[in-house]
Amino acid sequence: MSTVASTPAGTISRTPSDEVAAGLPVRTDLWVDGGFRPAVSGRRFDRVAPRDGRVVAAVAEGDVADVDLAVAAARRAFEDGRWCDLHPRERRATLLRLADLVERDADDLARLESLDVGKPVSHAKAVDIRVTLQTLRFYAEAADKSYDAVAPTGPAVHATITREPLGVVGAVVPWNFPLMMAVWKIAPALAVGNSMVVKPAEQSPLTLLRFAELAAEAGLPDGVLNVVPGFGPTAGAALGRHMDVDALTFTGSGQVGRLFLNYAAESNIKEVSLELGGKSPQLVLADAPDTAAVAKAVAVGVFFNQGEVCSAGSRLVVHRSRKDELVEAVVAASQRLRLGDPLDPKTFVGALVEAEHLERVLGHIGAAHEDGARLLTGGGQVLAETGGYYVEPTVFDDVAAGSRLAQQEVFGPVLAVQTFDDLDEGIALANGTDYGLGASVWTKDLSSAHRVSRRLRAGTVWVNCYDESDITVPFGGYGQSGFGGHDKGLAAMDKYTHTKTTWMAL
Ligand code: NAP
Ligand code: MG
């Protein structure tokens, strides 16, 4: 393939984002102790819509003093038992009512998410909001169906192993699935009785603020859930370093994840769990199934959510015998994905989250050129005249194993193609990064599927599919993709509880 083609752009609606925002439930104050209040400092920061670069809200900027107030509210709520001492059935009922309210407002929440972070509104509805609902209902239902244990000790003693909530849980979350990923933490933590203080990313506070208000409408007692928007180095660090926060659950970059380990070490040794990035391979063996199906899964696997997905399949590691045909099909599939206004329901690729991230992604593309990779499609910003931050689906071939594009997470719509001749080489390439979040293997041979799955170092391995997911299964990674208890699945509830052993002499 020698020519560089480009993706046809959809049309951009003329309705400016500030006008769209006027029709949506935009909340701009901190949510602390069951109500909205401005930041102690009185400061605010602008939220810019990625679709056209227009300011849609001025959000209260939480800082150390606000985190202190929120943690104090969460602590009071925990200590007086207004939530943790409820019958689990009542916690279940509250969380189910909250899910019903989110469902009632699903369209507004999806539009708000799309406006705030630039993701296609259809995906916001079909993925972010739908999974948020599933998550709330899953953990709500688990709240009153979890049993503790009696240990098999001898007859002279009786020992129980019980689970207790940790107390005040801090959560610091990213902007790529703002509400959904926050709720992956909020739902299990609240289901088992904790109180929480959540700091959304500065790029994406709007849906979580509205969610907190809906939680109050559902009957969640004041102080149990607090939302403090603000910046990482101030509000985020304050939560990480707080002496009265019992655990900190984080999703974001490895760079910031490390800081939370330091914060815990410098303060009260709070429990820390980290869900970090990835550079996930799609490993296509010589006997992979139908090329068209694989190509579509590869294109969607990397370009969904503009590539702003921690588990994006950002490397295609393909056997040489299948390479030309597959890469051609992937490029064609990429070019068919409709790029355009996130608020257009037909859009598949929306805008990147902010101008700074656009520059970062273009920097990765520049580095790929410098390192000798060969551009097959995309490669640049489009629709700049809208004021928004759009980058075309981009595919590079001949990406050397040690090069920056093979190793560094782009978190944008860029696919790196790497080729192998024998299986060991393919597996070494697939495993050859510091990360280990997701990986796929494509093969028609059952025993290869099993053997290769075992050898892939990743928290999730997909066989002949990509990005299958469900709230019932845990999600997290190997290596520098994080540790400390995965999100999702029943086991996530353990992450928000202490284990207590009680001995009783008989
Ligand atoms: P990020 O820069 O690490 O930010 C994540 C959160 O940390 C934000 O709320 C951020 O606040 C806060 N933060 C930033 N600097 C901080 C500091 N010095 N102290 C305390 N908190 C700080 O990540 P992002 O750019 O939002 O998201 C992209 C990254 O997240 C990617 O690496 C991606 O792979 C990873 N991610 C992983 C998963 C997973 O489940 N494994 C899921 C989604 C994303 P501000 O932004 O407001 O400053
Ligand atoms: Mg950030």
Side-chain angles (χ1 to χ4, degrees):
M1 226 161 303
S2 54
T3 54
V4 174
S6 75
T7 310
T11 51
I12 296 295
S13 142
R14 294 278 160 244
T15 314
S17 291
D18 35 337
E19 272 177 42
V20 176
L24 290 171
V26 175
R27 303 291 182 261
T28 58
D29 277 335
L30 316 175
W31 179 267
V32 176
D33 207 9
F36 285 113
R37 45 176 298 281
V40 170
S41 69
R43 282 199 303 271
R44 295 188 166 269
F45 62 99
D46 283 342
R47 268 309 305 132
V48 170
R51 65 188 275 273
D52 58 4
R54 294 178 71 106
V55 174
V56 294
V59 174
E61 183 195 324
D63 203 331
V64 178
D66 305 284
V67 168
D68 281 345
L69 289 173
V71 172
R75 175 59 61 191
R76 280 193 302 277
F78 185 73
E79 295 303 331
D80 72 15
R82 68 185 83 164
W83 177 247
C84 60
D85 288 345
L86 289 181
H87 193 292
R89 255 198 307 276
E90 290 180 54
R91 289 204 298 272
R92 166 182 176 274
T94 305
L95 293 173
L96 289 176
R97 277 196 301 276
L98 174 54
D100 290 345
L101 295 176
V102 169
E103 188 162 44
R104 179 195 72 190
D105 290 359
D107 285 320
D108 275 358
L109 286 165
R111 282 172 69 75
L112 202 53
E113 203 74 295
S114 173
L115 190 72
D116 208 12
V117 299
K119 68 170 62 211
V121 66
S122 55
H123 298 170
K125 179 97 184 277
V127 179
D128 298 67
I129 304 303
R130 181 182 57 85
V131 174
T132 295
L133 285 169
Q134 261 183 15
T135 305
L136 284 167
R137 289 177 174 142
F138 180 78
Y139 291 107
E141 288 297 350
D144 67 346
K145 295 170 191 69
S146 304
Y147 292 74
D148 290 325
V150 177
T153 55
V157 284
H158 177 72
T160 57
I161 304 163
T162 51
R163 296 243 154 226
E164 297 183 349
L166 299 172
V168 177
V169 174
V172 176
V173 290
W175 45 258
N176 56 339
F177 295 87
L179 183 61
M180 179 187 102
M181 282 189 180
V183 171
W184 282 358
K185 300 178 186 304
I186 292 169
L190 294 191
V192 297
N194 294 287
S195 298
M196 291 191 85
V197 178
V198 187
K199 193 203 87 63
E202 69 196 66
Q203 297 87 350
S204 59
L206 299 184
T207 47
L208 201 57
L209 288 171
R210 175 62 179 148
F211 176 85
E213 190 181 28
L214 293 176
E217 187 181 338
L220 189 73
D222 293 351
V224 174
L225 174 64
N226 304 275
V227 178
V228 182
F231 299 125
T234 50
L239 208 47
R241 291 204 176 99
H242 207 289
M243 292 301 288
D244 204 26
V245 168
D246 298 291
L248 194 294
T249 169
F250 172 79
T251 298
S253 63
Q255 201 185 348
V256 177
R258 277 170 219 278
L259 294 178
F260 278 97
L261 296 176
N262 284 334
Y263 298 153
E266 291 160 10
S267 57
N268 61 344
I269 321 189
K270 57 180 67 61
E271 287 187 22
V272 175
S273 56
L274 305 176
E275 294 288 353
L276 308 175
K279 190 77 201 181
S280 301
Q282 295 238 40
L283 179 60
V284 179
L285 307 192
D287 66 349
D290 176 54
T291 297
V294 182
K296 186 163 178 229
V298 169
V300 171
V302 63
F303 299 128
F304 173 69
N305 212 50
Q306 307 72 243
E308 295 166 328
V309 181
C310 46
S311 57
S314 54
R315 291 185 297 138
L316 169 59
V317 180
V318 56
H319 190 267
R320 194 171 305 280
S321 65
R322 297 295 294 273
K323 194 262 183 84
D324 288 347
E325 169 202 28
L326 179 62
V327 168
E328 191 173 336
V330 168
V331 167
S334 311
Q335 291 167 354
R336 279 195 298 271
L337 300 175
R338 187 183 161 100
L339 179 147
D341 185 358
L343 290 177
D344 177 343
K346 293 197 288 292
T347 291
F348 189 93
V349 180
L352 297 180
V353 72
E354 60 179 352
E356 195 186 321
H357 190 54
L358 167 76
E359 290 310 318
R360 202 180 301 141
V361 169
L362 294 176
H364 282 286
I365 290 174
H369 285 295
E370 281 168 25
D371 291 351
R374 193 158 56 88
L375 182 69
L376 298 183
T377 186
Q381 183 182 4
V382 286
L383 300 173
E385 67 283 6
T386 61
Y389 318 124
Y390 300 86
V391 170
E392 292 178 286
T394 295
V395 180
F396 278 101
D397 194 4
D398 300 333
V399 177
S403 71
R404 286 170 285 181
L405 191 62
Q407 294 296 324
Q408 297 175 358
E409 182 178 44
V410 175
F411 224 58
V414 182
L415 177 68
V417 181
Q418 302 177 282
T419 312
F420 67 92
D421 291 296
D422 73 76
L423 185 60
D424 285 344
E425 185 194 358
I427 291 173
L429 275 175
N431 287 338
T433 74
D434 291 335
Y435 294 112
L437 195 52
S440 74
V441 53
W442 294 84
T443 174
K444 280 194 285 210
D445 181 69
L446 185 60
S447 88
S448 300
H450 280 287
R451 278 187 284 110
V452 176
S453 305
R454 287 184 190 175
R455 292 178 63 190
L456 289 172
R457 293 187 36 79
T460 299
V461 174
W462 288 281
V463 178
N464 295 335
C465 58
Y466 202 80
D467 269 349
E468 281 295 327
S469 90
D470 195 80
I471 191 60
T472 54
V473 297
F475 181 76
Y478 283 30
Q480 292 186 25
S481 292
F483 72 97
H486 291 352
D487 283 327
K488 305 175 65 188
L490 281 179
M493 294 169 84
D494 295 343
K495 160 164 142 177
Y496 300 110
T497 52
H498 286 302
T499 301
K500 176 180 280 180
T501 301
T502 307
W503 290 99
M504 221 177 283
L506 300 181

